[in-house]
Amino acid sequence: MAVHVEKKGELLNTLRERLKERIYAAITMLAVVVGLAQNPHTGHWTAAAYVTGTAVGLWLATLVADVQSHRVVHKRFPGRAEVRHMLYVSSPLLSSAAGPLAMDALSAAGALDLNTALWIAAGAGIAGLAAWGFEGGRRMGGGLLASILAAVVDAVIGAGVVGVKLLAGH
């Protein structure tokens, strides 16, 4: 029984780590997309390169930090199973590029203006943060009102990132 509980705890911790990485990447990508939307000279290839570079850069930085911290704490390089775990936990960082790249592709296909596509991607990023806030409220058993409040707080945080980027002018 104790082994089952321990395994469930490990699984939940891994899921928490993955979600943390996904939310962190979503907030970072939101700032990048708003910066691209503010630049009237941003082209499709430039947007795709910045979005892809941001996601890959975050992912690689996380892997480097994981390996370095593992070496310091455990006094050895991570083993194969530990590397697999690091890759699994950090992989959601790469998914943060999916929405903005899809919007860029729709724009490149002529479905809408690039600036509009980037702002839609930013709006979707804020909506995603709100959705995670709502789900967190529901899973904590706070009821509908508490879940909505959590969603609003997370959306305000996302809007705050946008506001900072707008005030900074880049």
Side-chain angles (χ1 to χ4, degrees):
M1 180 78 139
V3 172
H4 176 69
V5 171
E6 185 178 312
K7 287 289 184 188
K8 184 177 179 183
E10 288 176 26
L11 175 63
L12 290 175
N13 192 47
T14 297
L15 293 175
R16 179 197 58 81
E17 289 180 71
R18 283 176 55 84
L19 181 56
K20 175 195 67 156
E21 296 295 350
R22 179 65 180 98
I23 292 169
Y24 171 71
I27 292 168
T28 303
M29 191 61 71
L30 181 59
V32 170
V33 168
V34 170
L36 290 168
Q38 285 183 281
N39 184 344
H41 304 294
T42 298
H44 297 290
W45 287 110
T46 301
Y50 273 87
V51 166
T52 302
T54 297
V56 171
L58 283 172
W59 179 66
L60 291 173
T62 297
L63 290 176
V64 167
D66 280 348
V67 170
Q68 286 181 351
S69 63
H70 188 280
R71 289 185 335 200
V72 169
V73 171
H74 298 285
K75 301 176 186 170
R76 63 176 175 77
F77 282 101
R80 186 175 289 155
E82 292 160 324
V83 169
R84 269 196 315 270
H85 178 79
M86 289 174 187
L87 291 169
Y88 179 72
V89 166
S90 64
S91 64
L93 290 164
L94 297 170
S95 67
S96 68
L101 287 174
M103 293 309 300
D104 184 34
L106 281 173
S107 175
L112 64 163
D113 177 69
L114 179 58
N115 191 266
T116 302
L118 292 170
W119 282 111
I120 290 171
I126 293 171
L129 292 173
W132 284 118
F134 184 83
E135 182 63 16
R138 296 296 285 186
R139 287 183 180 230
M140 289 174 53
L144 184 60
L145 185 58
S147 299
I148 290 170
L149 180 60
V152 169
V153 167
D154 284 357
V156 167
I157 290 168
V161 170
V162 171
V164 166
K165 288 299 285 186
L166 291 173
L167 287 174
H170 56 76

